[in-house]
Amino acid sequence: MSAANASIPVAILGVTGYAGEIALRILLSHPRFTVVHAGSDRLGGQKVADAAPSFAGETDLVMSPDTPEAIRASGAKAVILAKKSPEVTKVVPELLKAGLKLVDIGAEFRLHDHAAYKKWYGDDHACPELLPTAVYGLSEVHTDAIRSASVVGNPGCFATTVILPLVPLLKAGLIDLAAPLVSVSYSGLSGAGKRHIESNNNLFYAVNENLHSYKAVGHQHTGEIDQELSLAAGIPVHCSFVPHLAPITRGIHSTITVTVKPGVTQEQVVGAWNAAYGKRPFVRIRKTPKDVEVANTTGTNFIDIAAALDGRTLIIASVEDNLVKGASGQAIQNLNLMFGLDESMGLLRRGM
């Protein structure tokens, strides 16, 4: 294999969580990336296939603790951080010093300001000196910055569905910012992770044949949504964001309502989207919100968007798979960019 096509070794920290498992599944068939470290502090020494039987026959990887020593010993050149615990962030400076590149699927590197991080996550950051230079990893919005980044903070699953359709409209000056911006969003149960979270009421019995909101004010994704919308608009912008748990396993559906400026047409909205995303592989612009369904994106890295105009009220529908485009798929899309590969490599398939 030539140097230009050589395998790139990757470490996954937190391989047994939902995001870690999906990252591993994608990378096992990726043409260029090879997993050399499957990390688990709790299950070190066990085979991945024993902890996650769906991998039986696919990999003989044995899990190792997520220590800097174990990661460096693996020979990894890149790290996917698939743990949500802020504690694991403490290993990041040492890995960067060793020359590794990192994509964090958790929330540690999404916000550029330490005060904002403390506001939305209620604690100090383990390495706040890295926040100003970490790149927010919305692949279609910050492409060039991601290509040259050492640390990428992967967007939140909800946030991706809200920010991606709104950024081109804000940059084009189509939205009346004197009026409210609102997103009512629905996530499958996997979005809450594998553990029971009492405040989310995410046990099966509470979600089956039911639908409920949680954190109607103050959900942590609001911080990154406001950060990115404000950057696009050039002035402070706030979006009221109301998340819900829906009785499905995977997928996110956001219904976003904004007010457009007088005279703005639906053709201008679609034109702004086409100008921004028309040549990008994973953004599919649908004809009407009726065409935007969660099932059409399940197991893929696609995000589908559409809009309808009711007077000056623009109604946007946006869907994705929360575990792929909303997490591990976008992380690998970002890794592709960071290593100079085609952004779609290993991702143009269904069933991830």
Side-chain angles (χ1 to χ4, degrees):
M1 183 179 290
S2 68
N5 295 309
S7 175
I8 302 166
V10 178
I12 302 174
L13 279 59
V15 75
T16 59
Y18 285 137
E21 287 185 10
I22 298 297
L24 178 60
R25 188 164 303 286
I26 296 170
L27 290 177
L28 284 175
S29 59
H30 194 283
R32 292 292 303 282
F33 294 128
T34 301
V35 178
V36 295
H37 172 90
S40 173
D41 293 323
R42 185 171 55 90
L43 300 174
Q46 291 190 34
K47 287 186 175 182
V48 169
D50 290 338
S54 64
F55 287 104
E58 292 186 69
T59 179
D60 293 322
L61 280 167
V62 175
M63 290 177 284
S64 303
D66 285 325
T67 62
E69 295 77 18
I71 297 162
R72 287 200 310 271
S74 74
K77 300 297 183 186
V79 173
I80 293 177
L81 190 51
K83 290 182 173 180
K84 290 188 176 181
S85 168
E87 282 297 304
V88 77
T89 313
K90 294 177 181 177
V91 309
V92 172
E94 192 169 340
L95 298 178
L96 295 178
K97 194 177 295 184
L100 280 70
K101 297 184 179 183
L102 179 135
V103 177
D104 175 31
I105 298 178
E108 298 306 298
F109 295 100
R110 295 172 185 168
L111 298 171
H112 301 313
D113 181 70
H114 191 208
Y117 177 88
K118 291 172 71 173
K119 172 184 174 181
W120 292 105
Y121 293 98
D123 206 352
D124 283 316
H125 196 278
C127 40
E129 71 279 3
L130 297 177
L131 294 179
T133 55
V135 176
Y136 187 75
L138 193 54
S139 306
E140 288 79 11
V141 173
H142 296 302
T143 310
D144 291 338
I146 292 167
R147 286 193 176 107
S148 59
S150 296
V151 178
V152 169
N154 224 54
C157 49
F158 280 121
T160 296
T161 63
V162 178
I163 297 167
L164 189 139
L166 288 179
V167 162
L169 309 186
L170 288 166
K171 288 184 175 180
L174 302 182
I175 297 175
D176 182 353
L177 295 176
L181 284 70
V182 179
S183 179
V184 177
S185 302
Y186 303 83
S187 173
L189 191 58
S190 59
K194 287 187 172 182
R195 296 180 180 179
H196 173 234
I197 302 173
E198 188 173 356
S199 62
N200 292 355
N201 201 18
N202 64 324
L203 288 175
F204 175 79
Y205 82 87
V207 177
N208 185 46
E209 296 294 332
N210 196 12
L211 183 67
H212 64 82
S213 66
Y214 65 102
K215 293 186 181 178
V217 176
H219 188 281
Q220 61 271 20
H221 286 192
T222 307
E224 62 190 275
I225 291 170
D226 287 358
Q227 170 185 275
E228 294 301 307
L229 298 187
S230 298
L231 285 171
I235 60 173
V237 173
H238 172 63
C239 178
S240 294
F241 166 60
V242 186
H244 296 69
L245 273 181
I248 57 176
T249 302
R250 294 167 69 157
I252 285 179
H253 187 296
S254 289
T255 300
I256 307 159
T257 53
V258 300
T259 300
V260 296
K261 292 178 179 178
V264 169
T265 65
Q266 186 159 330
E267 289 71 23
Q268 287 176 280
V269 170
V270 174
W273 284 346
N274 278 318
Y277 306 131
K279 296 183 179 180
R280 306 306 291 265
F282 296 117
V283 182
R284 302 189 298 197
I285 302 167
R286 301 300 198 182
K287 289 185 177 180
T288 71
K290 181 178 179 295
D291 302 317
V292 176
E293 300 182 18
V294 165
N296 293 336
T297 59
T298 302
T300 79
N301 200 52
F302 292 110
I303 179 168
D304 289 1
I305 59 176
L309 200 55
D310 181 11
R312 286 179 56 200
T313 301
L314 184 69
I315 303 160
I316 300 169
S318 176
V319 297
E320 67 177 14
D321 185 320
N322 59 292
L323 297 179
V324 188
K325 183 60 173 174
S328 305
Q330 185 155 222
I332 291 163
Q333 185 180 356
N334 286 329
L335 266 193
N336 284 338
L337 291 169
M338 294 167 81
F339 281 90
L341 306 175
D342 187 293
E343 67 179 310
S344 66
M345 186 176 284
L347 293 167
L348 283 171
R349 60 188 177 93
R350 187 171 288 274
M352 292 183 278

